[in-house]
Amino acid sequence: MRIVIEDVPDDFARELVQLAADRGLNIAVAPAQWTAARAEALLRDLPDGALEIIRVTVDGQGWGDAERLRGDDGTALTGRTGAIKQAVKRGVKTGRLPEGLPAPVIATYDPNASGYQRTSGFTMPEETLPAFEAAFKRL
C-alpha cells in the first residue's frame, strides 16, 4: 500500500510516522518537491537577475552557463543566488511554499581550483526541471 501526504508541517509528519510505528507499520515521509505552481510562486517573487539565472538554466535543460549570464561586460553574479534563497524563505514564511524544498539551482565551481573563483554556471536537478519549464509557460 502506498499513501502520499503532501505539504504537512514537520511536527505533524513526525506524529504520523510515530503513529504508524506504534501500530507496527513502517512509513516514510518523502521530501517536498517542486511543482509548477510552487515554481511559479517563486518566479513571481524574484528580482530580474535571479530570475534570469533560473530562466537560462531551464533553457539550457538544467545547465545555465555563467558566461551567458554575465554578458559581454563580465558582470559579477554575486548575490543573485542569495535572492533565490531569500525568496524561498519568504514563500515558506507566507505559506506559499512548503519547508524542505531543494534549491532550484546550484552554483557549480571547478573542483580542481582552490581559493576564490567565479562560478562556471548553474545546474538544476533533473527532477526539478519539468516544474520550472511548466512555470515559465504559465508566466
Side-chain angles (χ1 to χ4, degrees):
M1 174 185 349
R2 178 182 162 110
I3 300 172
V4 177
I5 301 172
E6 295 181 327
D7 300 335
V8 297
D10 288 342
D11 57 337
F12 183 66
R14 282 190 293 276
E15 288 179 36
L16 283 173
V17 170
Q18 185 59 51
L19 180 65
D22 290 347
R23 286 165 177 69
L25 301 172
N26 184 15
I27 65 169
V29 178
Q33 297 295 317
W34 286 101
T35 63
R38 291 172 181 164
E40 182 181 1
L42 175 68
L43 296 176
R44 291 185 183 282
D45 192 28
L46 290 175
D48 292 343
L51 180 65
E52 189 63 14
I53 286 175
I54 295 178
R55 183 182 308 278
V56 166
T57 305
V58 168
D59 289 349
Q61 293 299 295
W63 171 250
D65 189 82
E67 294 310 312
R68 179 173 170 204
L69 289 159
R70 285 190 185 99
D72 294 334
D73 62 356
T75 304
L77 301 176
T78 308
R80 294 189 194 180
T81 55
I84 296 169
K85 291 176 188 174
Q86 291 305 315
V88 170
K89 286 181 184 179
R90 279 192 304 276
V92 170
K93 187 176 180 180
T94 60
R96 289 178 287 125
L97 299 175
E99 287 188 50
L101 281 171
V105 292
I106 302 158
T108 304
Y109 300 92
D110 180 353
N112 298 313
S114 61
Y116 174 80
Q117 59 180 301
R118 297 175 106 186
T119 182
S120 56
F122 299 88
T123 60
M124 178 175 284
E126 189 176 312
E127 63 275 7
T128 303
L129 191 57
F132 280 88
E133 288 173 327
F136 275 114
K137 288 178 184 173
R138 294 166 64 156
L139 289 181

